């Protein structure tokens, strides 16, 4: 709760294993700005943390992340945001 109050969200990273890629996700974005929570897959935790914080800041400024691709989150890497069909939420988030 402290991270959400101070930074607008908290980020949790799940380590890569022999069974799958690691992933990271936000908690609190919906509560602080009404935007959807964000998930990255396959990025190193430090990179994911930075990208998710930057994306959450864009959401707080009213940017629609799904409207365009973004090159300002992780160096020169083009990032694309896609909504997740609600039927996958339980499977993705455990």
């Amino acid at each position: 709760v402290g991270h959400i109050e101070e930074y607008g969200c908290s980020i949790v990273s799940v380590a890569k294993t022999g069974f799958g890629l690691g992933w990271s996700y936000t908690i609190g974005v919906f509560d602080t700005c009404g935007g959807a929570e964000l998930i990255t897959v396959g990025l190193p935790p430090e990179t994911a943390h930075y990208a998710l914080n930057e994306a959450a800041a864009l959401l707080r400024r009213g940017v629609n992340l799904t409207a365009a691709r973004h090159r300002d989150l992780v160096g020169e890497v083009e990032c694309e945001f896609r909504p997740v069909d609600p039927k996958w939420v339980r499977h993705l988030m455990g």
Side-chain angles (χ1 to χ4, degrees):
V1 173
H3 281 160
I4 296 168
E5 290 174 346
E6 187 171 349
Y7 303 109
C9 69
S10 186
I11 297 172
V12 176
S13 292
V14 178
K16 175 182 171 181
T17 68
F19 300 105
L21 299 171
W23 52 290
S24 300
Y25 60 97
T26 61
I27 298 173
V29 170
F30 180 79
D31 295 323
T32 59
C33 70
E37 300 299 339
L38 304 167
I39 300 171
T40 64
V41 177
L43 293 176
E46 301 81 19
T47 304
H49 189 99
Y50 181 83
L52 289 171
N53 272 325
E54 292 297 309
L58 290 172
L59 284 174
R60 284 192 291 280
R61 291 196 303 264
V63 173
N64 177 356
L65 295 176
T66 62
R69 293 184 176 157
H70 302 270
R71 286 192 159 269
D72 52 350
L73 298 176
V74 184
E76 291 296 315
V77 176
E78 190 172 87
C79 298
E80 184 174 346
F81 293 85
R82 298 179 185 183
V84 175
D85 189 301
K87 71 180 180 184
W88 290 102
V89 172
R90 181 170 291 236
H91 176 73
L92 290 171
M93 302 301 293

